Amino acid sequence: MKRLSINISMLVFLFTFLSIIKNHNSTLFCQTNNLRFDHLSIEDGLPNNEFTCLIQDHLGFIWIGTTNGLSKYDGYSFVNYYHNEKDSTSLISRKVLCLMEDSSGDIWVGTIGGLSILLRDEDRFISYEYDKYFPNSPSNNFSYKIFEDKNGNIWIGTWRGGLYFIDRELLLDKKGKLIFQ
């Protein structure tokens, strides 16, 4: 009987507490409805309004892949990266298909023309075009997914070409051809 009176006392306290909070318009139990949406487009600095992929890096930048290049957004303005046939340190192709940040902070960009890696320390790209005559190289240049495993090895999914593995040891100097396993 004593236990029943303790339970009833607790319930009365709980209902009293909740009614006091409710009557004082407390926000303790509600969420805000003040959502804000911004619309960003070419007029704001994007290279194109057709998005293909989007990631946020460890520094908080938003990376946007489009059909006409790559954009880095800091919340206020865009820095755009484009393909330039005369510049070997630019994107390998204008149409970006996928993005990934690796454990070193470099941004991997899969395109319809191959693979580009933005080396942040140098603010330049190194690019790899797949060579169908090179052993184990992907059969086409369409990179649709890039993933880094816990050992730092890179996995690349291609369009109709399957899945490819790049050994991390072969990427350390980031020069020369990629060796696919």
Side-chain angles (χ1 to χ4, degrees):
M1 186 69 160
K2 186 175 182 180
R3 188 169 200 178
L4 180 62
S5 70
I6 290 173
N7 289 340
I8 291 173
S9 297
M10 290 299 290
L11 283 174
V12 169
F13 173 77
L14 182 63
F15 285 121
T16 305
F17 177 74
L18 291 175
S19 67
I20 290 171
I21 289 175
K22 184 177 179 183
N23 291 334
H24 285 87
N25 294 323
S26 174
T27 59
L28 182 62
F29 295 108
C30 65
Q31 295 180 3
T32 181
N33 290 327
N34 299 330
L35 296 176
R36 181 176 160 233
F37 292 91
D38 287 332
H39 179 259
L40 302 171
S41 66
I42 293 173
E43 290 79 23
D44 300 299
L46 279 169
N48 194 306
N49 284 335
E50 292 182 50
F51 291 77
T52 54
C53 51
L54 179 81
I55 64 167
Q56 183 173 17
D57 67 17
H58 75 283
L59 298 172
F61 292 108
I62 302 293
W63 294 86
I64 304 163
T66 74
T67 57
N68 193 32
L70 175 67
S71 289
K72 178 175 74 170
Y73 184 61
D74 64 4
Y76 302 100
S77 61
F78 291 96
V79 174
N80 296 317
Y81 301 91
Y82 299 98
H83 169 68
N84 180 346
E85 290 179 13
K86 297 176 183 175
D87 182 2
S88 64
T89 65
S90 72
L91 277 173
I92 195 166
S93 176
R94 66 179 184 84
K95 187 171 183 180
V96 176
L97 300 174
C98 63
L99 296 168
M100 190 264 311
E101 179 185 23
D102 68 14
S103 55
S104 300
D106 295 328
I107 303 295
W108 289 63
V109 185
T111 73
I112 63 169
L115 182 67
S116 291
I117 305 168
L118 177 63
L119 304 175
R120 286 211 185 174
D121 296 342
E122 302 171 34
D123 197 35
R124 69 176 180 92
F125 288 94
I126 57 169
S127 296
Y128 301 96
E129 186 174 9
Y130 307 140
D131 182 352
K132 65 182 176 182
Y133 301 108
F134 195 74
N136 298 324
S137 182
S139 58
N140 66 61
N141 284 312
F142 285 60
S143 301
Y144 272 102
K145 185 67 179 166
I146 306 169
F147 174 77
E148 181 180 25
D149 67 22
K150 65 181 180 178
N151 297 320
N153 299 309
I154 305 297
W155 296 81
I156 299 174
T158 63
W159 182 69
R160 294 187 178 177
L163 182 66
Y164 294 87
F165 169 83
I166 303 172
D167 188 333
R168 186 60 168 187
E169 294 298 316
L170 301 172
L171 293 174
L172 291 180
D173 64 357
K174 295 182 179 167
K175 294 177 183 171
K177 285 191 175 263
L178 288 175
I179 306 297
F180 292 91
Q181 304 288 326

